[in-house]
Amino acid sequence: MKSKVARLVLRKLSKALFFLAFVIFNFADVFSQEPVVPVETQPIEEILELHAESSDVEYDYTDLLAELEFFLANPLPINLATHDELRQLFFLNDIQINNLLKYISDYGKITTIYELAYIDGFDREVITMLEPYITLSDQARTTRIKPGDALRYGKNQLFVRYQQLLETQQGFLPITDSLLQQNPNQRYPGSPFRLYTRYGYNYRNRLRWGFTAEKDPGEEFFKGSQKRGYDFYSGFFYMKGEKLLRDIVIGDYHLQFGQGLTLWTTFSFGKSTNVSGTRKIQRDIRPNTSVNENQFLRGSAVTLGYKRFTFTAFGSQINIDATIERTDSVTGEVLSVSALQYTGLHRTPRELENRRSLGETLYGGRASLTGSRFQTGVTFYKMKFDASLEPSQSLYNRYYFRGTENHAAGFDMLYLFKGGQFFGEVSRSASGGMAMLAGGTLFPSSRIVLSGIYRKYDRDYQNIYNAPFAESSAAAGEEGLFLGVLFLVSPKISFTGYTDYFRFSWLRFGVDAPSRGKEYLGEFIYNLSRAVEMRLRYRYKQRERNLSGNELMPVLEPYEKQNLRFHVHYQAMRALAVRTRVEWVMNTSDGKNPKHGYMMYQDVIWKPGQQRWAFSARYALFDTDTFDERIYAYENDVLYAFSVPSYYYKGSRAYLLMRFQASRKLDLWLRISQTWFANESTLGSGLDLIDGNTRTEVKAQIRYRF
């Protein structure tokens, strides 16, 4: 008994001593100034910038932060939280969650936020991100859903957002009736504004329902082709149960299983500076709250569970946009389509013709077994189109999916051990093509995190609904090895970096031979004080592409891109933050004729805690030789809106974002942004062309909570 008491005393004493040392060495200056507002979004901003650079498709990231917003108003009791609840904080990986739960089990409740630094995997950056979403309160959350409590304590939110370019685009200029009759695709029939409406109900993240509606610029509104108002409507009902019924959703939803190799229907992080978070955290069933009009499932899904075993069944039937290739001359039935469309734009007669032209039926299931340190799962789904998908006959897309039916089946696993984790997934499509991914994360010491992922995807692996770790968006015909490291050099200095070597076994668009590439990234983070953080990042990427002027004989040349970024965040006071960034880029082909570009910006962010109003502003200068040297930078936006524009050519950009809390229930946002190009007389092309050198956008949003 005495030895047990002695061990307990030593544990508590070691925690107290560590906490005292942590405060002295890392937060000494906190006693000489006011507490600061944490920079909790910087890692997310960097991830979104890298994603925007690698994808030409404009994406709505609403699903990413929809659940986090709930925890801002209702912080999660970290001492009582379950593994599933902690997984909803998507920036935590399984290693961190497992170590956190084990620490609480071994040493008792966490009494201060700084104590988290005593747990392997919780560095200063992770703690800063986590702090706004958790509480140390011992008040337990209600697990049962009582109808009376749901009606009384449920939270309702209504958003209305208006957005418009102030310059007139070609598609909105006046045109004579005779010219429009000759070519009806020469003008947009609708108004130039975008209108977004969203309603959501949430009871403790266990009972949710809502709808989303959007009208894009150029689409008609309550007239013509859109007599029902908005062009896009989406809705859902979601309930998280306990014991036998774990999850159920009816309406529009997403599925996220394994490592995204077999079935993953929504946005997924790829390479980033967060090397300890390379393993995807599957969220199983999630309702759809975004306006990505062709990237979700519509139907129902349910997860049943018994102890450690769960089974998920799902079904979906939806019409999606596709480019019509052939129709039946008698019935007008669509017989084949040449490509799937993801823009969600339905303005001209040509775009309206392709709107929801392809019917898709999808169904399947997943069985999984979860232990204290492992998880395994088997996933299967089958998909059927009501018309044949027939891409153009080109050599580079020889192995693309063609036909009306496809299926995929896969097995995934996760094993956690002291100081690390291993994970992987293997999948097979109806074509017989195989895809596999294996990775791991190790914590050899409290200062070092090592991670690695090897992937190999056959060129004939065909899967439309997946989002694994990959260099290319197709996730086919690719093999690669990713290695990452996070090193805490000192309490104030950390280094994160990765290398990725990849090769493609078949041709790609603009690359008429098998090719290879590599990428390096390194970033130093220096916390000069609690108020000043500096980041220095270098990124090098090399891929191969066709050598211009050699159309008859495919010859590849290396194409290199280098980025150097210096970023400073200064928290001048509790309410005032200043951010400065300078970034340089250089592109070269075969080591010759380098092209350059730079961008610099200055941000001012004012967020007084008790005041009704807040604002942020930016002024940026940029100069790039060509469009290929464009630089992406995240911008603050209204709640649930995301802006990651590219800076290219020569000019300046500025924006002002204001938020006013009119009452406890009503919030108002107003955002104005303008880009000025120095050497351009027109912007854009086709119907989006602007006769001038400025692009000005205004955005207004109202949120009403009740």
Side-chain angles (χ1 to χ4, degrees):
M1 175 65 72
K2 291 182 179 180
S3 61
K4 184 176 181 180
V5 173
R7 287 198 301 270
L8 181 60
V9 172
L10 286 174
R11 287 177 180 175
K12 295 295 184 181
L13 181 60
S14 65
K15 289 166 62 175
L17 290 174
F18 179 85
F19 167 62
L20 180 61
F22 187 83
V23 170
I24 292 175
F25 288 103
N26 293 287
F27 298 93
D29 56 345
V30 78
F31 299 104
S32 61
Q33 61 181 0
E34 292 183 338
V36 298
V37 179
V39 190
E40 74 276 359
T41 62
Q42 183 64 36
I44 298 175
E45 292 176 14
E46 292 189 352
I47 292 172
L48 296 183
E49 287 169 350
L50 291 173
H51 181 264
E53 182 177 344
S54 62
S55 175
D56 294 330
V57 179
E58 185 177 348
Y59 199 89
D60 177 16
Y61 302 98
T62 302
D63 290 320
L64 184 66
L65 299 180
E67 293 183 359
L68 287 185
E69 202 266 341
F70 168 81
F71 288 118
L72 283 176
N74 304 273
L76 183 66
I78 195 170
N79 288 308
L80 304 173
T82 65
H83 188 278
D84 286 344
E85 288 176 324
L86 290 168
R87 278 175 56 193
Q88 296 181 60
L89 304 175
F90 63 87
F91 47 80
L92 293 182
N93 60 45
D94 286 303
I95 285 280
Q96 294 161 333
I97 293 174
N98 190 68
N99 289 346
L100 172 63
L101 295 175
K102 187 176 186 305
Y103 181 89
I104 295 173
S105 175
D106 291 345
Y107 302 116
K109 297 177 181 178
I110 294 172
T111 57
T112 172
I113 189 70
Y114 305 123
E115 192 177 341
L116 290 171
Y118 200 54
I119 305 173
D120 286 342
F122 284 80
D123 56 32
R124 185 171 182 172
E125 187 173 339
V126 172
I127 295 173
T128 302
M129 291 182 64
L130 184 63
E131 186 174 6
Y133 305 107
I134 63 171
T135 177
L136 302 178
S137 170
D138 294 337
Q139 184 177 357
R141 288 177 176 268
T142 304
T143 57
R144 292 185 58 189
I145 298 177
K146 300 179 180 179
D149 290 343
L151 293 174
R152 183 178 179 181
Y153 300 112
K155 306 296 184 182
N156 297 272
Q157 288 192 114
L158 176 65
F159 288 86
V160 179
R161 183 190 307 153
Y162 177 94
Q163 181 178 347
Q164 183 175 338
L165 281 177
L166 297 186
E167 291 83 6
T168 303
Q169 296 173 297
Q170 182 71 29
F172 298 105
L173 291 175
I175 188 174
T176 63
D177 293 340
S178 58
L179 289 177
L180 185 61
Q181 187 174 7
Q182 292 177 13
N183 193 342
N185 292 295
Q186 283 296 313
R187 287 296 183 272
Y188 296 140
S191 50
F193 64 85
R194 172 180 279 116
L195 188 62
Y196 168 93
T197 301
R198 176 185 166 198
Y199 162 76
Y201 168 88
N202 192 325
Y203 174 67
R204 301 185 182 276
N205 265 3
R206 300 182 62 86
L207 183 63
R208 298 172 58 191
W209 63 71
F211 72 86
T212 303
E214 186 192 44
K215 169 212 172 297
D216 290 309
E219 294 175 345
E220 295 180 287
F221 192 55
F222 284 107
K223 67 176 182 178
S225 61
Q226 306 295 346
K227 290 185 172 59
R228 296 183 178 179
Y230 294 90
D231 170 72
F232 174 71
Y233 290 96
S234 175
F236 70 89
F237 171 86
Y238 170 80
M239 184 177 70
K240 187 174 184 62
E242 57 183 352
K243 296 183 179 178
L244 180 62
L245 179 63
R246 302 292 175 85
D247 292 276
I248 184 170
V249 64
I250 301 173
D252 297 341
Y253 64 95
H254 291 288
L255 298 173
Q256 299 177 348
F257 297 134
Q259 290 303 295
L261 197 53
T262 304
L263 184 56
W264 195 288
T265 64
T266 186
F267 169 76
S268 175
F269 290 143
K271 286 180 282 190
S272 74
T273 53
N274 181 22
V275 298
S276 61
T278 52
R279 193 189 86 82
K280 297 184 187 299
I281 305 298
Q282 67 175 40
R283 299 166 70 201
D284 301 334
I285 301 172
R286 284 296 179 269
N288 174 58
T289 58
S290 72
V291 291
N292 299 310
E293 300 186 20
N294 295 282
Q295 294 173 284
F296 62 90
L297 302 178
R298 174 166 289 173
S300 62
V302 60
T303 297
L304 305 176
Y306 178 72
K307 295 183 178 180
R308 297 183 174 183
F309 176 80
T310 61
F311 176 76
T312 301
F314 50 86
S316 169
Q317 204 292 316
I318 189 173
N319 290 338
I320 58 178
D321 296 354
T323 304
I324 297 176
E325 183 72 13
R326 290 186 301 113
T327 59
D328 188 291
S329 59
V330 178
T331 63
E333 178 184 358
V334 177
L335 300 178
S336 68
V337 298
S338 60
L340 305 180
Q341 300 289 334
Y342 296 103
T343 65
L345 298 175
H346 309 118
R347 303 162 298 185
T348 63
R350 184 180 296 113
E351 291 175 345
L352 287 166
E353 181 184 23
N354 296 326
R355 181 177 184 261
R356 301 177 185 173
S357 59
L358 182 64
E360 176 198 81
T361 301
L362 184 147
Y363 60 89
R366 172 179 171 84
S368 63
L369 181 65
T370 304
S372 59
R373 291 189 173 272
F374 75 91
Q375 177 177 305
T376 61
V378 178
T379 305
F380 172 83
Y381 84 90
K382 184 172 183 178
M383 178 193 69
K384 183 177 181 180
F385 293 141
D386 61 7
S388 180
L389 176 59
E390 301 293 340
S392 61
Q393 294 292 338
S394 300
L395 194 57
Y396 76 88
N397 65 9
R398 176 180 177 182
Y399 294 99
Y400 283 16
F401 168 71
R402 301 170 187 273
T404 59
E405 295 187 14
N406 191 25
H407 67 257
F411 169 80
D412 60 88
M413 59 80 62
L414 165 69
Y415 177 67
L416 304 173
F417 58 93
K418 185 177 182 180
Q421 65 177 346
F422 289 131
F423 56 87
E425 184 172 4
V426 59
S427 182
R428 184 180 187 274
S429 64
S431 63
M434 300 291 294
M436 65 85 62
L437 178 151
T441 305
L442 301 176
F443 289 83
S445 76
S446 60
R447 290 179 173 268
I448 300 176
V449 180
L450 303 174
S451 64
I453 293 180
Y454 171 76
R455 74 268 189 190
K456 188 177 188 302
Y457 311 142
D458 290 349
R459 59 190 179 187
D460 60 342
Y461 177 69
Q462 301 169 350
N463 192 344
I464 295 176
Y465 287 110
N466 70 348
F469 188 97
E471 170 65 21
S472 65
S473 58
E478 177 179 332
E479 182 179 9
L481 177 64
F482 171 93
L483 299 173
V485 60
L486 170 62
F487 177 38
L488 304 180
V489 182
S490 72
K492 292 181 178 292
I493 302 175
S494 63
F495 171 79
T496 181
Y498 65 76
T499 64
D500 188 33
Y501 295 89
F502 49 87
R503 65 180 182 181
F504 301 100
S505 60
W506 190 244
L507 289 60
R508 295 179 295 116
F509 181 77
V511 185
D512 294 335
S515 60
R516 62 181 63 241
K518 54 189 175 183
E519 182 177 356
Y520 310 127
L521 184 145
E523 183 175 53
F524 279 98
I525 303 174
Y526 178 36
N527 293 286
L528 184 63
S529 68
R530 274 287 282 171
V532 180
E533 178 191 78
M534 295 187 293
R535 293 171 177 254
L536 180 64
R537 191 180 87 180
Y538 172 75
R539 183 184 180 209
Y540 170 87
K541 188 169 187 176
Q542 182 193 82
R543 297 180 71 167
E544 293 179 321
R545 66 180 185 182
N546 291 343
L547 180 64
S548 58
N550 288 269
E551 289 76 10
L552 297 179
M553 180 68 68
V555 177
L556 303 184
E557 63 174 351
Y559 178 72
E560 300 177 347
K561 184 174 184 178
Q562 301 180 65
N563 291 74
L564 183 63
R565 172 188 294 181
F566 180 64
H567 182 97
V568 179
H569 180 101
Y570 173 50
Q571 197 76 42
M573 59 183 70
R574 175 187 290 270
L576 178 63
V578 180
R579 298 195 297 190
T580 305
R581 176 180 296 183
V582 179
E583 185 161 355
W584 166 85
V585 61
M586 181 177 72
N587 289 338
T588 56
S589 298
D590 199 21
K592 302 176 182 178
N593 302 320
K595 304 290 186 181
H596 299 86
Y598 78 85
M599 182 273 296
M600 61 178 65
Y601 72 63
Q602 181 65 57
D603 281 356
V604 178
I605 304 170
W606 176 258
K607 293 182 179 180
Q610 302 300 322
Q611 299 295 325
R612 289 190 171 189
W613 60 274
F615 78 87
S616 62
R618 168 177 298 178
Y619 181 72
L621 295 172
F622 54 91
D623 188 355
T624 70
D625 291 339
T626 70
F627 181 73
D628 290 339
E629 288 74 56
R630 61 192 180 276
I631 299 173
Y632 290 85
Y634 178 92
E635 295 181 350
N636 290 323
D637 211 323
V638 303
L639 185 61
Y640 290 140
F642 295 86
S643 179
V644 191
S646 58
Y647 296 73
Y648 56 90
Y649 299 151
K650 184 178 182 178
S652 63
R653 178 172 171 83
Y655 77 83
L656 174 65
L657 171 65
M658 295 177 288
R659 174 183 178 269
F660 178 69
Q661 186 175 1
S663 67
R664 293 181 58 186
K665 297 182 178 182
L666 185 64
D667 296 293
L668 308 173
W669 284 265
L670 177 64
R671 187 179 192 269
I672 302 174
S673 63
Q674 183 181 78
T675 307
W676 171 76
F677 294 87
N679 301 323
E680 303 295 320
S681 58
T682 61
L683 303 176
S685 61
L687 297 184
D688 294 330
L689 184 140
I690 296 174
D691 186 12
N693 65 344
T694 61
R695 180 183 288 114
T696 309
E697 183 183 64
V698 61
K699 186 182 297 184
Q701 178 169 288
I702 297 174
R703 177 178 68 165
Y704 181 63
R705 292 177 287 185
F706 56 99

